[in-house]
Amino acid sequence: QVQLVESGGGVVQAGGSLRLSCAGSGRTFTSYLMGWFRQAPGKEREFVAAISATGGSTTHADSVKGRFTISRDNAKNTVYLQMNSLKPEDTAVYYCAVDTERAYLDGRYRSPSLYDYWGQGTQVTVFA
């Protein structure tokens, strides 16, 4: 059974940092593109960051660029999201996902519909 399990969420004051982890099991995801998305109450799920299979290419949404960094450790089948300088508007449930049809960033990585497997999400709350 394929599973993605996020961890590392929590409550933090604005300006603080959190590191999210997403561990895969039941299948090796080292050949696939992986991404992070978030969803705030009443809003659609939005793209945050994506990383190629090898980790050699990454991309981040403009809203988090310079503050968040996606990375992966294929030996551990795990992807990370380092979040610094957090703002109240970063408050959301954060999800990791894997696209098992792509290994590279091909311009379509922002669409949630392309991702095959999703984690259950981890809550991040940032207070002013």
Side-chain angles (χ1 to χ4, degrees):
Q1 182 180 357
V2 175
Q3 268 195 316
L4 293 174
V5 179
E6 301 98 336
S7 61
V11 180
V12 63
Q13 190 171 19
S17 298
L18 287 172
R19 188 194 194 203
L20 305 184
S21 299
C22 172
S25 63
R27 183 170 180 175
T28 300
F29 296 115
T30 57
S31 298
Y32 307 123
L33 174 71
M34 295 193 73
W36 284 98
F37 290 78
R38 67 186 182 186
Q39 189 166 19
K43 295 187 177 181
E44 293 187 352
R45 191 166 298 190
E46 66 170 349
F47 169 77
V48 175
I51 188 166
S52 63
T54 64
S57 297
T58 63
T59 185
H60 300 79
D62 288 345
S63 59
V64 306
K65 200 169 293 182
R67 300 187 298 121
F68 291 11
T69 303
I70 188 171
S71 62
R72 66 192 299 165
D73 184 340
N74 283 342
K76 296 181 179 179
N77 214 27
T78 299
V79 65
Y80 304 97
L81 186 68
Q82 178 67 44
M83 306 186 296
N84 299 327
S85 302
L86 282 159
K87 303 176 181 180
E89 51 263 45
D90 294 319
T91 294
V93 178
Y94 283 71
Y95 300 89
C96 69
V98 61
D99 178 352
T100 59
E101 294 188 5
R102 291 167 184 81
Y104 302 103
L105 302 174
D106 65 358
R108 291 172 285 181
Y109 50 80
R110 295 178 180 271
S111 174
S113 64
L114 296 183
Y115 292 79
D116 308 288
Y117 297 100
W118 292 82
Q120 82 290 349
T122 185
Q123 176 71 47
V124 172
T125 301
V126 185
F127 64 94

